Amino acid sequence: MARLPLIDPATTTGDNRASFDRMPVKLNIFRMMAHAEANMIPAMRLGNSILHKQKLSAVNRELLILQVAQLEGGAYEWRQHVPIALGVGVTQRQIDCLERGSFGDDAFSEAERALLAFSRQVVENVRVPEPVFAEMRRHFGGQEIVETIFAIGFYMMMARLTEATETDLDPAAGMRLFDRGKKR
């Protein structure tokens, strides 16, 4: 059971209420985020921009999200993003490798391995050794590198939110919620 009560969407007002009213599924993560009234909408906008507006491909983004969830112990994010990852083209073999922490497996392309090595350094060490950065730069431009860092940081924050508050796991909303965000 969550350490803080989940906010009832019906008790929210203003932009937060309007946001809840548009949601096809009112996930517990959003109900927990609603405690931070001033931050909920900006955080959701950032999350939506990461999911739908970045140059970074959907497959690469979902590989990153799952890797962050695995490294950070983010059970909530893992549950929600496995179906999305499969829906955008990540393979079950890749998901199994990420779950085991086998980030260098041949299930991943050379570019994907560079992305995952870079991501792991950002999560675990903040600073990225030059050879890892150079390999990332060989496959990705500056925009994608910075977008990668934004995505990593956002999902580290979400893992911390759900794990620190012990937010109850929802059934996976999958592509239904993901596709809804594309329209915004």
Side-chain angles (χ1 to χ4, degrees), residues 114-122 128 132-133 136 145 148-149:
L115 179 79
L116 294 171
F118 178 85
S119 174
R120 187 172 189 165
Q121 289 297 318
V122 171
V128 178
V132 175
F133 195 93
M136 178 72 171
I145 292 169
T148 295
I149 296 165

Side-chain angles (χ1 to χ4, degrees), residues 119-154:
S119 174
R120 187 172 189 165
Q121 289 297 318
V122 171
V123 170
E124 294 179 347
N125 302 315
V126 183
R127 292 187 178 267
V128 178
E130 183 54 40
V132 175
F133 195 93
E135 186 64 13
M136 178 72 171
R137 187 132 173 108
R138 201 165 75 78
H139 298 282
F140 299 95
Q143 180 179 344
E144 292 164 306
I145 292 169
V146 174
E147 288 176 349
T148 295
I149 296 165
F150 269 74
I152 293 165
F154 183 81

